[in-house]
Amino acid sequence: MLLAIDCGNTNTVFSIWDGTEFIATWRASTEWQRTADQYYVWLSTLMTLERIEVQIDEVIVSSTVPRVVFNLRVLADRYFNTRPLVVGRPDCALPVEPRVDAGTSIGPDRLVNTAGAFDRHGGNLIVVDFGTATTFDVVAHDGAYVGGVIAPGVNLSLEALHNAAAALPHVDITKPQAVIGTNTVACMQSGVFWGYIGLVREICDRIKGEYAREMKVISTGGLAPLFQQSVALFDAFEDDLTMHGLTVIHKYNKDL
């Protein structure tokens, strides 16, 4: 059984893959201080509570937080007796090598999203991931990652407004009833919501113009459903794209 781990800047997701589907998924806040023993106690407790009795013998990790990887390696080695695949490391092959500037470091999450999106939708894609940062990944016709765009995340922008301006409160992102806000909270929500609608639409249009061919736009990430349901920005929404990408990369390495 495969344990797929996606460690982002804010949250870390653990999913158990049985070869056909994910039978369980759990989420924890990302903390680089957390030890392998703590991970195992937390994970084994959840498995017991949900009466999941499986033997984990393979592990794959994608992490945008380098300091977390060591303890996840120890977790795999000590408790599951396996050496994990770590996306972005030389011993973890990709289905198609990225085509970017020499020496460029690419976030593992972007490589995983590329593999997952290509497996489900084919090539010529823009993958928009609403995470801590809002990223745009361009997937070529053959599945190669060929570049993209990085913008501040939605919640990061709201936090910046709150922290930098003493009079502005912390607010949750939601679709406002009108563009013109009649109170401070409504004004902030309108600015962020419609600002990101404009940001996504403009960047995708410019990518399509530069790429000079038809492209599908795929959304993923925690806030993607909010934008997906509000306006016709995307051709598809994938709530488990990153985890699916991990299974694709794992299978590719296993079949080598």
Side-chain angles (χ1 to χ4, degrees):
M1 204 73 70
L2 173 67
L3 176 63
I5 305 173
D6 171 43
C7 178
N9 291 296
T10 304
N11 293 313
T12 301
V13 180
F14 295 75
S15 290
I16 298 177
W17 174 255
D18 68 359
T20 303
E21 63 181 356
F22 290 110
I23 62 173
T25 296
W26 302 286
R27 186 181 300 266
S29 59
T30 298
E31 295 179 10
W32 67 267
Q33 303 97 328
R34 186 173 285 136
T35 66
D37 301 329
Q38 289 174 311
Y39 278 121
Y40 182 72
V41 169
W42 174 80
L43 191 60
S44 60
T45 301
L46 288 171
M47 291 175 66
T48 300
L49 287 172
E50 298 191 24
R51 299 180 181 178
I52 297 173
E53 298 180 3
V54 297
Q55 183 67 38
I56 294 172
D57 53 14
E58 296 175 296
V59 178
I60 184 169
V61 177
S62 168
S63 178
T64 58
V65 185
R67 288 190 292 181
V68 172
V69 175
F70 174 77
N71 282 314
L72 293 176
R73 281 180 174 272
V74 175
L75 169 71
D77 178 64
R78 180 179 299 168
Y79 292 104
F80 304 125
N81 195 31
T82 184
R83 180 180 180 182
L85 271 174
V86 180
V87 179
R89 299 294 173 87
D91 60 342
C92 182
L94 299 172
V96 184
E97 288 299 312
R99 294 193 290 272
V100 294
D101 295 342
T104 298
S105 177
I106 306 168
D109 55 329
R110 309 184 80 177
L111 299 174
V112 172
N113 282 348
T114 294
F118 180 73
D119 184 68
R120 286 181 171 172
H121 300 279
N124 299 323
L125 306 173
I126 303 170
V127 180
V128 185
D129 189 346
F130 292 90
T132 303
T134 301
T135 59
F136 300 74
D137 302 324
V138 180
V139 185
H141 68 281
D142 60 350
Y145 171 85
V146 293
V149 176
I150 301 175
V154 177
N155 286 320
L156 195 62
S157 294
L158 282 169
E159 285 295 327
L161 274 175
H162 171 63
N163 292 332
L168 296 181
H170 175 79
V171 300
D172 294 324
I173 181 64
T174 187
K175 182 181 179 180
Q177 295 182 348
V179 177
I180 301 173
T182 54
N183 57 67
T184 301
V185 170
C187 288
M188 293 175 65
Q189 289 175 333
S190 181
V192 172
F193 180 84
W194 292 113
Y196 270 85
I197 293 291
L199 180 145
V200 171
R201 179 178 287 122
E202 181 68 14
I203 289 178
C204 286
D205 285 348
R206 287 185 175 273
I207 289 174
K208 291 176 181 178
E210 197 169 288
Y211 199 68
R213 66 184 69 184
E214 289 294 320
M215 303 182 78
K216 289 182 179 179
V217 182
I218 313 300
S219 69
T220 190
L223 289 175
L226 172 66
F227 295 101
Q228 175 77 20
Q229 297 171 8
S230 301
V231 288
L233 284 176
F234 311 106
D235 296 294
F237 163 64
E238 299 282 359
D239 63 343
D240 64 344
L241 184 63
T242 303
M243 305 313 291
H244 176 67
L246 284 171
T247 68
V248 171
I249 293 174
H250 175 265
K251 184 178 186 303
Y252 178 78
N253 281 266
K254 194 172 181 179
D255 292 344
L256 286 177

